[in-house]
Amino acid sequence: SLQDVIPDRAAPNGSAQQLPQTIIIGVRKGGTRALLEMLSLHPDVAAAENEVHFFDWEEHYSQGLGWYLSQMPFSAPHQLTVEKTPAYFTSPKVPARVHGMNPGIRLLLILRDPSERVLSDYTQVFYNHVQKRKPYPSIEEFLVRDGRLNVDYKALNRSLYHLHMQNWLRFFPLRRIHIVDGDRLIRDPFPEIQKVERFLRLSPQINASNFYFNKTKGFYCLRDGGRDRCLHESKGRAHPQVDPRLLNKLHEYFHEPNKKFFELVGRTFDWH
Ligand code: A3P
C-alpha cells in the first residue's frame, strides 16, 4: 500500500518545516492561546500546536536549531510559521537567543491588565493542583505577608512588564515587537487581529465573520469554514474574589511600573 512506500515523516507535496518567522513570546495568561488560534484562521499561517519551550529550557536549547525545526509544523513555502511559548517574555536569557537565531524576526507580545494577569496566573496554578487533587492555598496567602503586599510572590514579578520589556529592547527595536492588547482581544478580537495581520504583512484574509460571541462561554469563539469552536474550558475561567482593599493595593503596586512600561513602548493601555 501507499503507507509502505511513503517514509515516516514524509511531507505533503512541496511542504517543509520552517523555523518560525514570528513568535508569540508571552505574556503568560495574556491570551496567548487565543491569539495563536485566531491567527491560525489565516491560510498563510502554520502554527506549532504545543508550547515549544526551546529558548528557555536548557534541555531543549542545548539540542540546537535542528531540534527546534523538528518541532515545527509542515508548511508551504509562502506560509509563515509561528510558535507560542508564554514563558519567553519573562526569561532573561531568551532575547539574546532569539536574536541569535534571527535578528529580523517579528515578535508578538500580548499583554493584559497586570493585576488581572496575577489573578489569572493564580487561577491557573490553583486548577493545576485541583486536577492532581492537591490542596492549594488561597490567593490571599500569596498576596499578603505581615499585613503588606507580598512583593516576592512570583506572579507579581511576571506582571512587571517594563522589566521584561527592557531585556527585549536590548536586542530588538520596538518596531519588531507588536503588542496585542489582551483586554481588547477578549472584548472585540477582530480589530486586534487585523493589526496583527498588518504587522506580519499578511494579506487581510481574516474576517469579522470568523468571530462570534458565545453567551454560554462568555467569550468570543471562532467560526472557520462553517466549523464553530471555542477555546478549551481552561481558557476564560472565573477568578477568585479578592478583598477590594487588597485589590486596590495591587493596582497601586503596578501604577509606577505601568507608567514606566508606557514610556518604554510609547503607548498607553487601559489598565487599573
Ligand atoms: P482567564 O482564563 O484567566 O480568563 P493564555 O492562553 O495566555 O493562558 O491566556 C488565557 C486567557 O486568555 C484567559 O484567561 C482569557 O481571559 C483570555 N482569552 C482571550 N480571548 C479568549 C477567548 N476568545 N476565549 C477564552 N479565553 C480568552
Side-chain angles (χ1 to χ4, degrees), residues 9-48:
R9 287 164 50 104
N13 261 350
S15 80
Q17 286 163 301
Q18 304 180 54
L19 288 174
Q21 292 91 352
T22 181
I23 302 176
I24 299 171
I25 58 173
V27 67
R28 176 179 155 92
K29 302 321 288 175
T32 55
R33 177 58 61 183
L35 177 58
L36 188 80
E37 295 291 325
M38 290 171 183
L39 194 54
S40 298
L41 291 166
H42 200 290
D44 299 345
V45 169

mmCIF file of all heavy atoms in Angstrom, residues 9-48:
data_model
loop_
_atom_site.group_PDB
_atom_site.id
_atom_site.type_symbol
_atom_site.label_atom_id
_atom_site.label_comp_id
_atom_site.label_asym_id
_atom_site.label_seq_id
_atom_site.Cartn_x
_atom_site.Cartn_y
_atom_site.Cartn_z
ATOM 1 N N ARG A 9 8.197 10.391 8.005
ATOM 2 C CA ARG A 9 7.965 11.825 8.197
ATOM 3 C C ARG A 9 7.783 12.550 6.871
ATOM 4 O O ARG A 9 8.151 13.708 6.735
ATOM 5 C CB ARG A 9 9.113 12.433 9.005
ATOM 6 C CG ARG A 9 9.057 12.028 10.468
ATOM 7 C CD ARG A 9 10.375 12.313 11.123
ATOM 8 N NE ARG A 9 10.808 13.675 10.852
ATOM 9 C CZ ARG A 9 10.739 14.667 11.733
ATOM 10 N NH1 ARG A 9 10.256 14.445 12.917
ATOM 11 N NH2 ARG A 9 11.171 15.862 11.417
ATOM 12 N N ALA A 10 7.224 11.830 5.892
ATOM 13 C CA ALA A 10 7.036 12.429 4.574
ATOM 14 C C ALA A 10 6.209 13.695 4.669
ATOM 15 O O ALA A 10 5.240 13.763 5.424
ATOM 16 C CB ALA A 10 6.342 11.442 3.657
ATOM 17 N N ALA A 11 6.629 14.674 3.911
ATOM 18 C CA ALA A 11 5.902 15.931 3.905
ATOM 19 C C ALA A 11 4.879 15.923 2.795
ATOM 20 O O ALA A 11 5.142 15.386 1.728
ATOM 21 C CB ALA A 11 6.883 17.071 3.688
ATOM 22 N N PRO A 12 3.708 16.497 3.040
ATOM 23 C CA PRO A 12 2.744 16.661 1.954
ATOM 24 C C PRO A 12 3.400 17.481 0.832
ATOM 25 O O PRO A 12 4.270 18.289 1.117
ATOM 26 C CB PRO A 12 1.599 17.432 2.602
ATOM 27 C CG PRO A 12 1.792 17.295 4.083
ATOM 28 C CD PRO A 12 3.243 17.031 4.314
ATOM 29 N N ASN A 13 2.953 17.259 -0.384
ATOM 30 C CA ASN A 13 3.568 17.871 -1.569
ATOM 31 C C ASN A 13 4.237 19.232 -1.375
ATOM 32 O O ASN A 13 3.575 20.216 -1.146
ATOM 33 C CB ASN A 13 2.501 18.004 -2.670
ATOM 34 C CG ASN A 13 2.629 16.858 -3.653
ATOM 35 O OD1 ASN A 13 3.612 16.118 -3.582
ATOM 36 N ND2 ASN A 13 1.661 16.714 -4.540
ATOM 37 N N GLY A 14 5.528 19.250 -1.505
ATOM 38 C CA GLY A 14 6.265 20.519 -1.513
ATOM 39 C C GLY A 14 6.349 21.212 -0.176
ATOM 40 O O GLY A 14 6.955 22.276 -0.064
ATOM 41 N N SER A 15 5.772 20.656 0.854
ATOM 42 C CA SER A 15 5.816 21.361 2.128
ATOM 43 C C SER A 15 7.051 20.935 2.923
ATOM 44 O O SER A 15 7.654 19.910 2.657
ATOM 45 C CB SER A 15 4.544 21.104 2.936
ATOM 46 O OG SER A 15 4.619 19.861 3.588
ATOM 47 N N ALA A 16 7.404 21.780 3.858
ATOM 48 C CA ALA A 16 8.588 21.511 4.678
ATOM 49 C C ALA A 16 8.408 22.171 6.031
ATOM 50 O O ALA A 16 7.508 22.985 6.219
ATOM 51 C CB ALA A 16 9.827 22.068 3.981
ATOM 52 N N GLN A 17 9.265 21.800 6.950
ATOM 53 C CA GLN A 17 9.260 22.502 8.229
ATOM 54 C C GLN A 17 10.127 23.746 8.093
ATOM 55 O O GLN A 17 11.165 23.727 7.432
ATOM 56 C CB GLN A 17 9.793 21.578 9.322
ATOM 57 C CG GLN A 17 8.786 20.500 9.712
ATOM 58 C CD GLN A 17 9.424 19.354 10.458
ATOM 59 O OE1 GLN A 17 10.332 18.705 9.933
ATOM 60 N NE2 GLN A 17 8.958 19.104 11.673
ATOM 61 N N GLN A 18 9.696 24.832 8.714
ATOM 62 C CA GLN A 18 10.457 26.076 8.687
ATOM 63 C C GLN A 18 10.632 26.579 10.116
ATOM 64 O O GLN A 18 9.754 26.386 10.962
ATOM 65 C CB GLN A 18 9.704 27.158 7.897
ATOM 66 C CG GLN A 18 9.313 26.794 6.471
ATOM 67 C CD GLN A 18 8.575 27.948 5.785
ATOM 68 O OE1 GLN A 18 9.065 29.065 5.731
ATOM 69 N NE2 GLN A 18 7.370 27.657 5.293
ATOM 70 N N LEU A 19 11.740 27.245 10.348
ATOM 71 C CA LEU A 19 11.889 27.940 11.634
ATOM 72 C C LEU A 19 10.849 29.050 11.669
ATOM 73 O O LEU A 19 10.494 29.606 10.633
ATOM 74 C CB LEU A 19 13.308 28.519 11.769
ATOM 75 C CG LEU A 19 14.420 27.498 12.001
ATOM 76 C CD1 LEU A 19 15.790 28.186 11.960
ATOM 77 C CD2 LEU A 19 14.239 26.779 13.342
ATOM 78 N N PRO A 20 10.351 29.395 12.854
ATOM 79 C CA PRO A 20 9.293 30.408 12.902
ATOM 80 C C PRO A 20 9.786 31.781 12.414
ATOM 81 O O PRO A 20 10.888 32.192 12.734
ATOM 82 C CB PRO A 20 8.905 30.460 14.382
ATOM 83 C CG PRO A 20 10.048 29.857 15.112
ATOM 84 C CD PRO A 20 10.666 28.860 14.181
ATOM 85 N N GLN A 21 8.952 32.419 11.616
ATOM 86 C CA GLN A 21 9.230 33.802 11.209
ATOM 87 C C GLN A 21 8.614 34.783 12.200
ATOM 88 O O GLN A 21 8.846 35.976 12.133
ATOM 89 C CB GLN A 21 8.677 34.082 9.806
ATOM 90 C CG GLN A 21 9.393 33.341 8.690
ATOM 91 C CD GLN A 21 8.753 31.999 8.399
ATOM 92 O OE1 GLN A 21 7.872 31.540 9.123
ATOM 93 N NE2 GLN A 21 9.202 31.363 7.331
ATOM 94 N N THR A 22 7.793 34.249 13.092
ATOM 95 C CA THR A 22 7.229 35.075 14.165
ATOM 96 C C THR A 22 6.980 34.192 15.392
ATOM 97 O O THR A 22 6.687 33.000 15.253
ATOM 98 C CB THR A 22 5.941 35.804 13.721
ATOM 99 O OG1 THR A 22 5.462 36.604 14.796
ATOM 100 C CG2 THR A 22 4.841 34.824 13.327
ATOM 101 N N ILE A 23 7.149 34.774 16.570
ATOM 102 C CA ILE A 23 6.963 34.033 17.818
ATOM 103 C C ILE A 23 6.057 34.849 18.741
ATOM 104 O O ILE A 23 6.249 36.060 18.878
ATOM 105 C CB ILE A 23 8.308 33.789 18.536
ATOM 106 C CG1 ILE A 23 9.292 33.024 17.639
ATOM 107 C CG2 ILE A 23 8.099 33.018 19.840
ATOM 108 C CD1 ILE A 23 10.679 32.840 18.263
ATOM 109 N N ILE A 24 5.102 34.178 19.339
ATOM 110 C CA ILE A 24 4.317 34.798 20.413
ATOM 111 C C ILE A 24 5.101 34.550 21.698
ATOM 112 O O ILE A 24 5.175 33.421 22.180
ATOM 113 C CB ILE A 24 2.894 34.210 20.487
ATOM 114 C CG1 ILE A 24 2.139 34.473 19.174
ATOM 115 C CG2 ILE A 24 2.130 34.798 21.684
ATOM 116 C CD1 ILE A 24 0.795 33.742 19.072
ATOM 117 N N ILE A 25 5.703 35.603 22.241
ATOM 118 C CA ILE A 25 6.651 35.439 23.353
ATOM 119 C C ILE A 25 5.976 35.527 24.721
ATOM 120 O O ILE A 25 6.625 35.289 25.733
ATOM 121 C CB ILE A 25 7.799 36.477 23.268
ATOM 122 C CG1 ILE A 25 7.261 37.914 23.287
ATOM 123 C CG2 ILE A 25 8.651 36.230 22.018
ATOM 124 C CD1 ILE A 25 8.362 38.988 23.379
ATOM 125 N N GLY A 26 4.739 35.869 24.780
ATOM 126 C CA GLY A 26 4.057 35.970 26.074
ATOM 127 C C GLY A 26 2.967 37.018 25.992
ATOM 128 O O GLY A 26 2.597 37.430 24.910
ATOM 129 N N VAL A 27 2.489 37.413 27.147
ATOM 130 C CA VAL A 27 2.878 37.038 28.476
ATOM 131 C C VAL A 27 2.008 35.880 28.959
ATOM 132 O O VAL A 27 0.875 35.689 28.471
ATOM 133 C CB VAL A 27 2.736 38.255 29.421
ATOM 134 C CG1 VAL A 27 1.269 38.646 29.583
ATOM 135 C CG2 VAL A 27 3.328 37.999 30.800
ATOM 136 N N ARG A 28 2.528 35.081 29.854
ATOM 137 C CA ARG A 28 1.725 34.027 30.471
ATOM 138 C C ARG A 28 0.374 34.583 30.929
ATOM 139 O O ARG A 28 0.324 35.603 31.622
ATOM 140 C CB ARG A 28 2.525 33.509 31.671
ATOM 141 C CG ARG A 28 1.861 32.472 32.530
ATOM 142 C CD ARG A 28 2.855 32.105 33.640
ATOM 143 N NE ARG A 28 2.191 31.600 34.823
ATOM 144 C CZ ARG A 28 1.959 30.310 35.047
ATOM 145 N NH1 ARG A 28 2.353 29.413 34.175
ATOM 146 N NH2 ARG A 28 1.359 29.919 36.143
ATOM 147 N N LYS A 29 -0.693 33.921 30.518
ATOM 148 C CA LYS A 29 -2.089 34.282 30.823
ATOM 149 C C LYS A 29 -2.556 35.577 30.147
ATOM 150 O O LYS A 29 -3.582 36.157 30.504
ATOM 151 C CB LYS A 29 -2.347 34.393 32.341
ATOM 152 C CG LYS A 29 -2.048 33.154 33.148
ATOM 153 C CD LYS A 29 -2.430 31.879 32.471
ATOM 154 C CE LYS A 29 -3.939 31.676 32.431
ATOM 155 N NZ LYS A 29 -4.277 30.455 31.639
ATOM 156 N N GLY A 30 -1.793 36.006 29.161
ATOM 157 C CA GLY A 30 -2.176 37.236 28.452
ATOM 158 C C GLY A 30 -3.257 37.014 27.400
ATOM 159 O O GLY A 30 -3.867 37.967 26.916
ATOM 160 N N GLY A 31 -3.447 35.736 27.034
ATOM 161 C CA GLY A 31 -4.358 35.421 25.930
ATOM 162 C C GLY A 31 -3.569 34.845 24.764
ATOM 163 O O GLY A 31 -3.952 34.971 23.594
ATOM 164 N N THR A 32 -2.451 34.194 25.086
ATOM 165 C CA THR A 32 -1.543 33.692 24.052
ATOM 166 C C THR A 32 -2.188 32.593 23.202
ATOM 167 O O THR A 32 -1.974 32.534 21.998
ATOM 168 C CB THR A 32 -0.240 33.161 24.686
ATOM 169 O OG1 THR A 32 -0.551 32.186 25.677
ATOM 170 C CG2 THR A 32 0.542 34.292 25.351
ATOM 171 N N ARG A 33 -2.982 31.732 23.819
ATOM 172 C CA ARG A 33 -3.635 30.658 23.064
ATOM 173 C C ARG A 33 -4.691 31.252 22.130
ATOM 174 O O ARG A 33 -4.781 30.859 20.955
ATOM 175 C CB ARG A 33 -4.258 29.632 24.028
ATOM 176 C CG ARG A 33 -5.032 28.508 23.355
ATOM 177 C CD ARG A 33 -4.223 27.678 22.363
ATOM 178 N NE ARG A 33 -3.093 27.001 22.993
ATOM 179 C CZ ARG A 33 -2.189 26.265 22.331
ATOM 180 N NH1 ARG A 33 -2.290 26.116 21.014
ATOM 181 N NH2 ARG A 33 -1.186 25.703 22.972
ATOM 182 N N ALA A 34 -5.453 32.186 22.647
ATOM 183 C CA ALA A 34 -6.487 32.834 21.819
ATOM 184 C C ALA A 34 -5.823 33.505 20.613
ATOM 185 O O ALA A 34 -6.289 33.357 19.476
ATOM 186 C CB ALA A 34 -7.272 33.856 22.647
ATOM 187 N N LEU A 35 -4.731 34.196 20.848
ATOM 188 C CA LEU A 35 -4.032 34.880 19.764
ATOM 189 C C LEU A 35 -3.547 33.885 18.714
ATOM 190 O O LEU A 35 -3.726 34.095 17.510
ATOM 191 C CB LEU A 35 -2.854 35.689 20.337
ATOM 192 C CG LEU A 35 -1.975 36.418 19.333
ATOM 193 C CD1 LEU A 35 -2.789 37.391 18.475
ATOM 194 C CD2 LEU A 35 -0.847 37.169 20.057
ATOM 195 N N LEU A 36 -2.953 32.795 19.165
ATOM 196 C CA LEU A 36 -2.442 31.783 18.234
ATOM 197 C C LEU A 36 -3.574 31.169 17.414
ATOM 198 O O LEU A 36 -3.470 31.010 16.199
ATOM 199 C CB LEU A 36 -1.683 30.684 18.990
ATOM 200 C CG LEU A 36 -0.948 29.673 18.121
ATOM 201 C CD1 LEU A 36 0.379 30.233 17.643
ATOM 202 C CD2 LEU A 36 -0.702 28.364 18.868
ATOM 203 N N GLU A 37 -4.663 30.822 18.095
ATOM 204 C CA GLU A 37 -5.797 30.198 17.404
ATOM 205 C C GLU A 37 -6.420 31.161 16.386
ATOM 206 O O GLU A 37 -6.797 30.764 15.287
ATOM 207 C CB GLU A 37 -6.870 29.768 18.414
ATOM 208 C CG GLU A 37 -6.432 28.671 19.372
ATOM 209 C CD GLU A 37 -6.236 27.331 18.690
ATOM 210 O OE1 GLU A 37 -6.992 27.029 17.751
ATOM 211 O OE2 GLU A 37 -5.296 26.607 19.075
ATOM 212 N N MET A 38 -6.520 32.414 16.792
ATOM 213 C CA MET A 38 -7.145 33.398 15.900
ATOM 214 C C MET A 38 -6.266 33.673 14.691
ATOM 215 O O MET A 38 -6.743 33.789 13.568
ATOM 216 C CB MET A 38 -7.435 34.683 16.683
ATOM 217 C CG MET A 38 -8.557 34.526 17.695
ATOM 218 S SD MET A 38 -8.711 35.958 18.784
ATOM 219 C CE MET A 38 -10.041 35.404 19.864
ATOM 220 N N LEU A 39 -4.976 33.751 14.928
ATOM 221 C CA LEU A 39 -4.028 33.974 13.834
ATOM 222 C C LEU A 39 -4.030 32.781 12.885
ATOM 223 O O LEU A 39 -3.848 32.930 11.665
ATOM 224 C CB LEU A 39 -2.636 34.201 14.431
ATOM 225 C CG LEU A 39 -1.555 34.768 13.526
ATOM 226 C CD1 LEU A 39 -2.018 36.069 12.881
ATOM 227 C CD2 LEU A 39 -0.279 34.999 14.334
ATOM 228 N N SER A 40 -4.272 31.598 13.429
ATOM 229 C CA SER A 40 -4.295 30.377 12.618
ATOM 230 C C SER A 40 -5.481 30.336 11.655
ATOM 231 O O SER A 40 -5.526 29.473 10.778
ATOM 232 C CB SER A 40 -4.340 29.138 13.519
ATOM 233 O OG SER A 40 -3.193 29.082 14.322
ATOM 234 N N LEU A 41 -6.438 31.242 11.844
ATOM 235 C CA LEU A 41 -7.549 31.328 10.887
ATOM 236 C C LEU A 41 -7.017 31.730 9.517
ATOM 237 O O LEU A 41 -7.651 31.483 8.492
ATOM 238 C CB LEU A 41 -8.562 32.394 11.348
ATOM 239 C CG LEU A 41 -9.390 32.087 12.596
ATOM 240 C CD1 LEU A 41 -10.070 33.359 13.096
ATOM 241 C CD2 LEU A 41 -10.437 31.016 12.291
ATOM 242 N N HIS A 42 -5.845 32.366 9.505
ATOM 243 C CA HIS A 42 -5.270 32.843 8.250
ATOM 244 C C HIS A 42 -4.659 31.669 7.475
ATOM 245 O O HIS A 42 -3.876 30.906 8.041
ATOM 246 C CB HIS A 42 -4.212 33.906 8.531
ATOM 247 C CG HIS A 42 -3.934 34.756 7.335
ATOM 248 N ND1 HIS A 42 -3.284 34.267 6.219
ATOM 249 C CD2 HIS A 42 -4.224 36.050 7.064
ATOM 250 C CE1 HIS A 42 -3.201 35.238 5.324
ATOM 251 N NE2 HIS A 42 -3.757 36.328 5.800
ATOM 252 N N PRO A 43 -5.002 31.548 6.183
ATOM 253 C CA PRO A 43 -4.482 30.406 5.417
ATOM 254 C C PRO A 43 -2.965 30.424 5.248
ATOM 255 O O PRO A 43 -2.376 29.373 4.993
ATOM 256 C CB PRO A 43 -5.186 30.542 4.054
ATOM 257 C CG PRO A 43 -5.699 31.943 4.000
ATOM 258 C CD PRO A 43 -5.949 32.367 5.404
ATOM 259 N N ASP A 44 -2.352 31.577 5.396
ATOM 260 C CA ASP A 44 -0.892 31.655 5.210
ATOM 261 C C ASP A 44 -0.129 31.508 6.521
ATOM 262 O O ASP A 44 1.048 31.872 6.602
ATOM 263 C CB ASP A 44 -0.505 32.982 4.538
ATOM 264 C CG ASP A 44 -1.143 33.127 3.166
ATOM 265 O OD1 ASP A 44 -1.629 32.107 2.630
ATOM 266 O OD2 ASP A 44 -1.183 34.254 2.642
ATOM 267 N N VAL A 45 -0.795 31.020 7.551
ATOM 268 C CA VAL A 45 -0.143 30.834 8.852
ATOM 269 C C VAL A 45 -0.139 29.360 9.222
ATOM 270 O O VAL A 45 -1.166 28.683 9.117
ATOM 271 C CB VAL A 45 -0.846 31.658 9.960
ATOM 272 C CG1 VAL A 45 -0.345 31.259 11.338
ATOM 273 C CG2 VAL A 45 -0.648 33.156 9.721
ATOM 274 N N ALA A 46 1.024 28.856 9.618
ATOM 275 C CA ALA A 46 1.148 27.494 10.135
ATOM 276 C C ALA A 46 1.661 27.584 11.570
ATOM 277 O O ALA A 46 2.725 28.150 11.814
ATOM 278 C CB ALA A 46 2.102 26.681 9.269
ATOM 279 N N ALA A 47 0.878 27.069 12.503
ATOM 280 C CA ALA A 47 1.223 27.237 13.917
ATOM 281 C C ALA A 47 1.639 25.910 14.553
ATOM 282 O O ALA A 47 1.039 24.872 14.288
ATOM 283 C CB ALA A 47 0.033 27.815 14.676
ATOM 284 N N ALA A 48 2.667 25.976 15.387
ATOM 285 C CA ALA A 48 3.028 24.822 16.207
ATOM 286 C C ALA A 48 1.950 24.664 17.270
ATOM 287 O O ALA A 48 1.569 25.635 17.922
ATOM 288 C CB ALA A 48 4.394 25.026 16.840
#
